[in-house]
Amino acid sequence: AAQQAEDAYLIHGDPDCLTIDNRTLGTESSDSVGYIKGKLHNGCDKDFSYIQIEINFMSGDSVTGSTMVNVNNLSQSQTWNWKTAVFGPDQEGKSWKVTKITGF
């Protein structure tokens, strides 16, 4: 039961062992630039040469834009503390969500 409760917080990627705990997701701003940030964990039993996170900006049920953030060379058991800048209208009053995590 405890494991199921913990899994409820996870966003799984492709492969499934790449995860973001949605409790680490957040925003911050400095000098008129907004940022989206979080932590991705490589729980796989292999290293990845490339990992990409895709994020959609939403207004209600409509997608109004997207961005992505990526990293090279994430070893097994490592955690990547990622952050991506968001400019202009994308950061003004819009919600966002992680839509895809890919690693190879």
Side-chain angles (χ1 to χ4, degrees):
Q3 186 62 41
Q4 276 186 322
E6 194 65 23
D7 283 348
Y9 291 107
L10 298 179
I11 302 167
H12 292 274
D14 182 17
D16 196 51
C17 49
L18 293 174
T19 57
I20 295 175
D21 184 328
N22 65 21
R23 296 170 291 188
T24 70
L25 295 174
T27 58
E28 66 181 49
S29 59
S30 64
D31 301 324
S32 302
V33 178
Y35 296 93
I36 297 172
K37 63 182 183 171
K39 293 180 181 182
L40 178 137
H41 180 69
N42 178 2
C44 304
D45 59 359
K46 68 178 214 164
D47 301 342
F48 288 90
S49 60
Y50 181 84
I51 295 175
Q52 177 174 294
I53 300 169
E54 297 175 37
I55 299 165
N56 279 358
F57 298 100
M58 310 295 293
S59 179
D61 290 334
S62 299
V63 175
T64 59
S66 63
T67 190
M68 66 176 196
V69 59
N70 56 57
V71 69
N72 295 316
N73 306 316
L74 190 70
S75 298
Q76 62 183 349
S77 300
Q78 283 188 321
T79 298
W80 167 34
N81 296 317
W82 58 270
K83 181 164 84 169
T84 186
V86 182
F87 299 96
D90 284 333
Q91 69 177 337
E92 295 168 7
K94 302 265 176 49
S95 63
W96 54 271
K97 68 178 180 177
V98 173
T99 58
K100 190 173 185 181
I101 304 165
T102 309
F104 54 86

